[in-house]
Amino acid sequence: MVNAIVGTRWLKLFRDLEAEWGRVLLMVAAIAVSIVAVGAILGAHAVLTRAITANYLDTHPAAATLDLEGDAGAAALVLARQHPAVADAEARDVILARAQVGADWRPLLLFVCDDFVAMRLNTIERLDGAWPPATGDMLIDVTATAMLGTEIGRRLRIKTAQGMAHEVPVTGRVNDHGLVPAWQERIGYGYISRETLASLGEPPVLHELRIALRDPSADAAAVAAVANDVGRQLAAHGIVVHEIRVPPPRQHPHYKQMTTMLYLMLTFSVMALVLSSLLVANSLSAMLARQAREIGVMKTVGARTGQIIRLYATLVAVLGAVAVVVAIPAGLMGARALTNAVAGLLNLNVADNWVPLRVFAVQGCCGVLVPLCVALVPILRASRTSVRATLDQHGIGSEGLRLRTGHFPLAVRNALRRPGRLALTVALLSAGGAMFMTALNVAESWDRNIAKIYETRHYDVEVRFYQPQSVDLARSLRELPGIAVVETWGYSPVAVAKQGQIDVVRAYPDRGHASVVIMAPPTAMRLVSFPVLAGRWLRDDDTDAVVLNHAMAAQMPEIRVGDTIDLSIAGRRAAWRVVGLVEEIGSVGAAYVAADTFERIAGTGGQVRMLRIATLADSPQARVDAIRAIERRLDEDRVSVETVLPLTELSMAMTDHIMILIRLLIAMAVILAAVGTLGLTSALGIDVLERMREFAVMKTIGATPRRIVVLVLAESLFIGMLSWLAAFVFALPLTLLLDTLVGNLGFVAALPFVISPGPALMWLVLIAAGSILASGIPARRASQLSVAQALVQL
Amino acid sequence: MIELCGVGKVFPGGQGGFTALDNVELRLPAGEFIAIVGKSGSGKSTLINLIAGIDRPSRGEIRVAGTPVDALDESALALWRGRTVGVVFQFFQLLPTLSVVENVMLPMDFCGTLRPRAARARALELLGQVGIADQADKLPSSLSGGQQQRAAVARALANDPALIVADEPTGNLDTHTAMAVLNLLTDLTAIGKTVVMVTHERDLTSFADRIVTLADGKVVGESAPRASVRNARETADA
Ligand SMILES: Nc1ncnc2c1ncn2[C@@H]1O[C@H](COP(=O)(O)OP(=O)(O)OP(=O)(O)O)[C@@H](O)[C@H]1O
Ligand SMILES: [Mg+2]
């Protein structure tokens, strides 16, 4: 006999669980689901942060790149390697070219080196095909194949600065783990040797001197100091250094994006855990309410309050423990799946899938402690009630807080009879609803921000040239059919200068991440209109004025309107007075200055490096046609084009970057909503169960089954609507928070705060449907119950 | 020996609350069968709850076998109750998910008096004493009312308490079964227990050693109908 081995009270606990296995299962499932999520995300976080760093460090990323005026030849390499802090140095170059894909030209980054086999810095993984590539051939990055529509054995038509198109055979595939996947950036990555570069008609010069330091843990400032030192020694030997690029040390370009995303998901799963704990507390408090009399009896026969608390606390702990046991393997599987998904997204090799033990420890603690803490509230309340009070209690209504509800309809009064339980159910439902609305609101804010790209830019395409072109080119393009406006913009990469030092920028080798540019709009500029955040936009009579966009300002947080900054254009330094800050969505850091001053400093009088063109197009196809016409004219004029960037490409790249996050949020919200509806079903089920006798009495005095169904349904709807209101209110701060977080990730600025009616209405419909569904089973049970049966219960 | 000195009980509600017991003075000797009678609402249950330590008095002192019941803290009170008082309720109050024998074992578990194996043996013995040993492993719901109340008596005896308290234990039983349960309780005085019982039974004089009558929260009468009989018997035995 078990009862001869186990303490009788534990036996009682076990039997109670057995009697309510359905609800117990619901509680365990609710905890388990959230613990699975916590485990999956923590596990993936551990594996991914290790992998992203390992992948990046495996490429032996250069600590700094010195941009030389001439070739980083043997002399420069020897000088660099002689520096005591420098471990290694290599010559490289990165050239922005264009590749033909179908009828259009896409940007292509060409990475050039001397010797693929002896490559020691910023190495690439060899996948298949030729290695090293023969002269005249090209390797492409595996993440760029689909975008370039090419594969091994095919030829790719490419154009470089000198303007002539070349057919280059693609002979192998590589994987560059130091870069963001090409498809995400919408740029192709190709790898060629110096000889191949020459065969494309380009001067065979590698401008970049990349160095690695002996100190593997040097911070950005230390790296910049060493690079500057090397630069001075090169200068002493007549080698001119334009610029030094120092990317964040040892940090993959998308490290921050990835960790922010994972933390966001973790926040959601912790919220889910709190919700499930509320569900447990709710079910438990109902169970305790029904057992009030039994608790009284146990106390009468000698049970101390502490024993009762321990009894039910153990129950919750055991439920949590069971959930944890189930959740750990499932969480591990989830972690694997999430790891693979993110690794695919970021082009990571996950060699080591090992999830650290601390993840399981956290899962265990969360799964047991969080429900326990939440459930302690009803447990303490139930076990502390005096014996007489518990024995006195007949059914409900005799408990603590009483509200004046006399003038409300019956269904509302019923819902309000247990204010504590009502609050829990509403909290459960509204948390799900708040997250649902938040996810959709943030998606809407995101779209709104993407829309700003179009609202603030009135051109259709931006064209940049390798070399400054005569302004006559603009005139010739304006004559093309379908072209409305052609504006000539001054344009140059720029560095924030420090006195007595070579300019340092914080850019990665792909030049895109964390770079800054300077632009000079033409007088009477019409094609952009950025919202001014502080100060003012440029005026025609400005000379040394500069307006910074927010992405640029974010890199120099101490700069205010009225301050002076030093910017250096192609090595020529000048001081500028900051007159304004503007919001420019979808751009790298940019500084805007007056055209005259720019021309004078950059020495580009009568010439132009960037055109912004508005077409007359009224359809996407017409726009594509107009852009192709521009391309043809530039080709006829033998102008070598660096990039042709349609505005649609810009917004597409922005959307691809983060849309995955929004989808994840919505998926989480749907899960939470489901947990909320389960909570409502469970709470209503409990309410009905407790009132069986009451329903029976109502029936004896003439209530029809229909009337009882309507009563339960109305109660459910009332709770649903109440939770909708609460959800709407909760969603406000949550949306604000996520707008800030997601916006900073994607645009370096908070997203516009949007509360759109769509999500609120959608949730209203969902919650109404959920309430009706949730009340279905309890209502049926209440209405079908025979009077005799119900009066026997208890 | 049960002593009540100036005991009052006021329930909250109305103006100044409702006085259920007013200045009760009682001295009840140990080893007797004491019946508490009175009209509905006269305060019988309130009084017996105070004696059993289920409720606390608003005023006055209660001593049971020398223990100042009103002065114990919650936890000490629970332990005292479990070890020295056995309670029998009108509605039996067996825990529905435990078998009959397990219900009897429960007080021993809470008070830590016996380990499970020994507790089971004692519970079976007690069930034998109340005559339902064959029902030991059934659930309470499958027992008749009389059988359930016998089980409740067995549970009250689990920790061998000196005092048995019963609030209308026969109120829910037919006359025949009620008599059987009453006999069970009166037999307990023979093994040295004090029994305090609230009852509406008419023919009390046949078994009660002492009758306390309540009206409107006051003791209005105390008699010892069988004291002479018992005294005579004890004299004869000697
Ligand atoms: N918890 C309570 N709150 C307020 N008043 C109470 C409470 N318990 C009892 N009373 C009141 O105290 C008085 C005495 O109640 P008690 O239950 O002791 O009566 P009783 O003699 O046992 O009656 P019955 O024979 O009907 O069981 C009654 O008027 C009752 O209404
Ligand atoms: Mg009573």
Side-chain angles (χ1 to χ4, degrees):
Chain A
M1 289 261 111
V2 243
N3 54 26
I5 302 156
V6 184
T8 317
R9 64 193 121 143
W10 303 112
L11 222 51
K12 168 187 154 39
L13 202 62
F14 178 71
R15 301 268 168 77
D16 290 345
L17 289 186
E18 223 176 13
E20 297 204 47
W21 63 269
R23 192 154 291 130
V24 169
L25 219 60
L26 201 72
M27 293 195 253
V28 171
I31 305 175
V33 166
S34 39
I35 292 298
V36 168
V38 167
I41 291 158
L42 281 182
H45 181 264
V47 173
L48 284 169
T49 45
R50 213 168 47 215
I52 198 170
T53 305
N55 272 245
Y56 187 58
L57 292 184
D58 276 354
T59 68
H60 303 282
T65 297
L66 288 84
D67 213 7
L68 310 188
E69 179 154 294
D71 189 38
L77 289 172
V78 168
L79 276 172
R81 287 186 188 132
Q82 273 171 359
H83 191 282
V86 173
D88 208 343
E90 267 186 47
R92 291 291 181 80
D93 212 339
V94 181
I95 288 172
L96 185 54
R98 305 212 297 153
Q100 191 171 26
V101 180
D104 299 309
W105 291 86
R106 289 195 160 276
L108 171 72
L109 275 180
L110 282 176
F111 295 86
V112 193
C113 73
D114 272 320
D115 188 347
F116 280 84
V117 180
M119 195 188 273
R120 289 185 308 275
L121 297 180
N122 295 103
T123 56
I124 51 180
E125 183 191 1
R126 170 192 173 184
L127 290 182
D128 44 18
W131 183 267
T135 300
D137 295 350
M138 183 173 75
L139 307 179
I140 60 166
D141 190 271
V142 66
T143 62
T145 43
M147 210 195 63
L148 292 175
T150 187
E151 58 194 65
I152 296 176
R154 299 263 282 270
R155 289 167 163 270
L156 200 59
R157 237 168 103 80
I158 66 177
K159 272 189 196 177
T160 55
Q162 55 72 37
M164 273 274 290
H166 289 263
E167 298 266 342
V168 180
V170 173
T171 57
R173 291 194 311 166
V174 295
N175 196 345
D176 191 338
H177 293 288
L179 298 177
V180 170
W183 55 261
Q184 220 182 90
E185 293 295 314
R186 307 187 74 77
I187 294 178
Y189 300 149
Y191 299 82
I192 57 171
S193 65
R194 191 196 286 257
E195 293 74 29
T196 309
L197 182 65
S199 79
L200 294 175
E202 289 289 318
V205 176
L206 305 190
H207 295 93
E208 294 186 358
L209 177 66
R210 297 199 183 165
I211 56 170
L213 302 198
R214 289 194 191 282
D215 176 7
S217 56
D219 63 12
V223 172
V226 172
N228 251 293
D229 210 27
V230 173
R232 270 191 296 273
Q233 296 193 10
L234 291 174
H237 289 77
I239 301 171
V240 178
V241 180
H242 278 319
E243 183 181 278
I244 292 169
R245 285 192 289 274
V246 179
R250 296 170 300 282
Q251 203 182 77
H252 187 279
H254 274 187
Y255 183 87
K256 240 175 94 185
Q257 193 196 59
M258 185 191 81
T259 45
T260 311
M261 186 172 106
L262 288 171
Y263 280 128
L264 206 61
M265 288 172 68
L266 187 65
T267 314
F268 266 72
S269 42
V270 168
M271 283 181 184
L273 178 64
V274 172
L275 282 193
S276 351
S277 302
L278 286 179
L279 184 86
V280 171
N282 206 357
S283 302
L284 193 75
S285 88
M287 186 172 151
L288 290 173
R290 255 171 301 138
Q291 293 204 350
R293 192 193 296 262
E294 293 186 24
I295 292 172
V297 171
M298 288 193 280
K299 282 184 151 190
T300 308
V301 302
R304 275 149 286 163
T305 302
Q307 286 174 319
I308 303 275
I309 293 174
R310 239 170 293 146
L311 198 63
Y312 288 102
T314 308
L315 167 79
V316 177
V318 167
L319 293 187
V322 170
V324 168
V325 167
V326 176
I328 281 181
L332 206 56
M333 272 154 57
R336 296 269 145 85
L338 186 59
T339 302
N340 290 339
V342 176
L345 221 55
L346 295 179
N347 183 32
L348 301 177
N349 267 350
V350 181
D352 172 13
N353 237 333
W354 186 71
V355 172
L357 289 176
R358 87 188 123 81
V359 171
F360 305 124
V362 170
Q363 277 181 289
C365 287
C366 284
V368 176
L369 292 184
V370 176
L372 198 58
C373 288
V374 177
L376 224 47
V377 178
I379 291 179
L380 285 180
R381 197 182 50 201
S383 54
R384 276 188 183 153
T385 322
S386 80
V387 189
R388 212 216 61 246
T390 46
L391 287 175
D392 273 359
Q393 235 174 69
H394 296 283
I396 53 171
S398 52
E399 182 187 284
L401 215 147
R402 289 209 199 164
L403 300 175
R404 281 161 196 261
T405 56
H407 48 283
F408 288 133
L410 189 56
V412 175
R413 266 182 311 191
N414 280 340
L416 291 176
R417 268 153 88 168
R418 289 266 197 196
R421 183 170 321 146
L422 177 70
L424 275 181
T425 309
V426 168
L428 201 65
L429 276 175
S430 58
M435 284 183 222
F436 181 85
M437 289 187 216
T438 300
L440 291 178
N441 280 337
V442 173
E444 175 71 32
S445 302
W446 182 270
D447 286 345
R448 216 43 93 77
N449 232 19
I450 294 290
K452 276 192 195 168
I453 292 180
Y454 294 100
E455 285 160 14
T456 58
R457 295 161 204 247
H458 316 295
Y459 58 89
D460 294 301
V461 62
E462 178 186 290
V463 183
R464 291 183 196 167
F465 308 107
Y466 288 106
Q467 304 299 330
Q469 304 292 322
S470 157
V471 286
D472 293 342
L473 183 62
R475 224 162 291 142
S476 111
L477 289 177
R478 199 169 297 135
E479 282 155 14
L480 287 173
I483 301 300
V485 183
V486 179
E487 281 186 356
T488 58
W489 284 60
Y491 164 85
S492 169
V494 74
V496 181
K498 277 193 196 133
Q499 284 301 323
Q501 293 198 332
I502 302 165
D503 308 331
V504 175
V505 296
R506 311 223 328 259
Y508 282 94
D510 68 2
R511 308 274 171 85
H513 285 79
S515 60
V516 286
V517 296
I518 191 165
M519 284 190 256
T523 43
M525 180 269 294
R526 284 188 290 158
L527 292 184
V528 305
S529 53
F530 300 125
V532 174
L533 299 175
R536 60 170 175 85
W537 181 245
L538 294 173
R539 280 199 303 252
D540 285 348
D541 58 348
D542 277 331
T543 50
D544 63 342
V546 63
V547 172
L548 306 179
N549 75 2
H550 71 275
M552 178 92 164
Q555 293 186 28
M556 300 178 292
E558 73 285 358
I559 296 291
R560 298 276 172 281
V561 171
D563 292 352
T564 302
I565 57 171
D566 274 2
L567 294 177
S568 122
I569 306 165
R572 266 163 294 208
R573 190 168 302 172
W576 303 89
R577 193 168 41 86
V578 178
V579 297
L581 300 179
V582 293
E583 183 192 62
E584 183 181 4
I585 299 302
S587 166
V588 295
Y592 294 90
V593 298
D596 294 347
T597 322
F598 178 81
E599 279 177 13
R600 189 166 41 76
I601 293 174
T604 55
Q607 290 184 309
V608 61
R609 265 198 72 186
M610 184 170 99
L611 297 177
R612 287 181 161 172
I613 303 170
T615 67
L616 296 167
D618 49 8
S619 71
Q621 190 50 49
R623 194 172 302 121
V624 169
D625 289 343
I627 293 170
R628 285 183 184 159
I630 295 168
E631 287 263 15
R632 268 196 310 277
R633 170 58 61 89
L634 292 170
D635 206 36
E636 289 161 16
D637 291 356
R638 306 217 166 279
V639 175
S640 64
V641 176
E642 191 179 70
T643 59
V644 172
L645 185 69
L647 209 53
T648 47
E649 279 286 302
L650 182 62
S651 64
M652 208 127 86
M654 295 309 304
T655 306
D656 282 1
H657 258 75
I658 285 219
M659 213 49 217
I660 171 90
L661 186 73
I662 304 288
R663 285 202 205 105
L664 271 171
L665 288 185
I666 293 175
M668 289 259 184
V670 168
I671 292 172
L672 287 169
V675 172
T677 313
L678 275 182
L680 180 61
T681 313
S682 140
L684 274 178
I686 294 163
D687 279 357
V688 166
L689 198 70
E690 278 176 358
R691 292 210 303 271
M692 279 304 184
R693 188 191 284 265
E694 200 175 300
F695 286 128
V697 173
M698 284 171 69
K699 274 184 146 182
T700 41
I701 59 174
T704 59
R706 210 184 125 81
R707 169 135 176 71
I708 289 177
V709 168
V710 168
L711 197 67
V712 175
L713 199 81
E715 183 179 338
S716 175
L717 274 175
F718 170 71
I719 297 174
M721 291 309 111
L722 206 61
S723 82
W724 179 84
L725 261 181
F728 189 82
V729 174
F730 287 164
L732 300 179
L734 207 59
T735 302
L736 196 63
L737 183 79
L738 279 190
D739 278 346
T740 311
L741 214 67
V742 172
N744 272 309
L745 210 60
F747 300 105
V748 210
L751 296 180
F753 180 63
V754 179
I755 297 293
S756 43
L761 283 178
M762 246 164 97
W763 183 248
L764 188 68
V765 171
L766 277 177
I767 196 72
S771 305
I772 292 168
L773 266 176
S775 65
I777 299 170
R780 264 241 309 282
R781 199 155 61 178
S783 68
Q784 283 175 354
L785 167 99
S786 83
V787 177
Q789 236 177 338
L791 291 177
V792 160
Q793 286 206 359
L794 256 174
Chain B
M1 175 76 84
I2 302 166
E3 295 168 277
L4 289 88
C5 302
V7 168
K9 179 72 185 176
V10 180
F11 288 111
Q15 295 104 2
F18 178 84
T19 305
L21 284 180
D22 191 12
N23 201 22
V24 173
E25 298 278 345
L26 269 180
R27 296 171 70 81
L28 305 170
E32 284 198 347
F33 191 111
I34 299 136
I36 298 176
V37 298
K39 284 208 286 265
S40 180
S42 56
K44 305 183 294 293
S45 297
T46 308
L47 177 65
I48 209 169
N49 283 347
L50 291 182
I51 292 173
I54 287 173
D55 205 355
R56 288 173 177 283
S58 312
R59 275 188 302 276
E61 285 172 27
I62 301 170
R63 289 176 167 274
V64 177
T67 309
V69 179
D70 54 287
L72 295 179
D73 68 30
E74 274 305 322
S75 157
L77 187 65
L79 200 58
W80 171 81
R81 199 165 48 223
R83 293 208 169 135
T84 46
V85 188
V87 181
V88 181
F89 300 94
Q90 178 179 358
F91 295 102
F92 327 133
Q93 306 286 17
L94 297 170
L95 300 193
T97 52
L98 289 180
S99 70
V100 169
V101 68
E102 286 158 1
N103 264 286
V104 179
M105 290 162 71
L106 195 59
M108 300 185 248
D109 186 34
F110 278 124
C111 297
T113 33
L114 288 176
R115 322 209 101 254
R117 187 172 300 278
R120 182 177 156 81
R122 173 163 170 79
L124 287 173
E125 189 191 310
L126 288 170
L127 286 175
Q129 275 178 34
V130 300
I132 52 164
D134 50 338
Q135 311 290 331
D137 291 315
K138 290 189 182 170
L139 285 181
S141 55
S142 59
L143 266 61
S144 73
Q147 287 170 325
Q148 287 191 48
Q149 198 59 304
R150 283 163 193 267
V153 171
R155 181 178 65 186
L157 293 171
N159 284 328
D160 198 19
L163 174 65
I164 302 289
V165 157
D167 193 349
E168 296 185 44
T170 56
N172 245 24
L173 302 174
D174 63 71
T175 325
H176 180 71
T177 320
M179 276 326 289
V181 170
L182 270 181
N183 284 334
L184 207 59
L185 289 171
T186 46
D187 288 350
L188 294 177
T189 51
I191 54 170
K193 313 261 179 233
T194 310
V195 180
V196 181
M197 184 178 83
V198 170
T199 187
H200 284 132
E201 296 293 333
R202 280 177 193 83
D203 189 18
L204 289 172
T205 43
S206 58
F207 55 86
D209 296 314
R210 191 175 295 268
I211 299 173
V212 176
T213 311
L214 288 182
D216 293 335
K218 293 192 178 71
V219 178
V220 293
E222 200 183 332
S223 62
R226 295 209 312 155
S228 48
V229 182
R230 174 180 289 226
N231 286 348
R233 197 166 60 209
E234 276 166 7
T235 326
D237 287 351

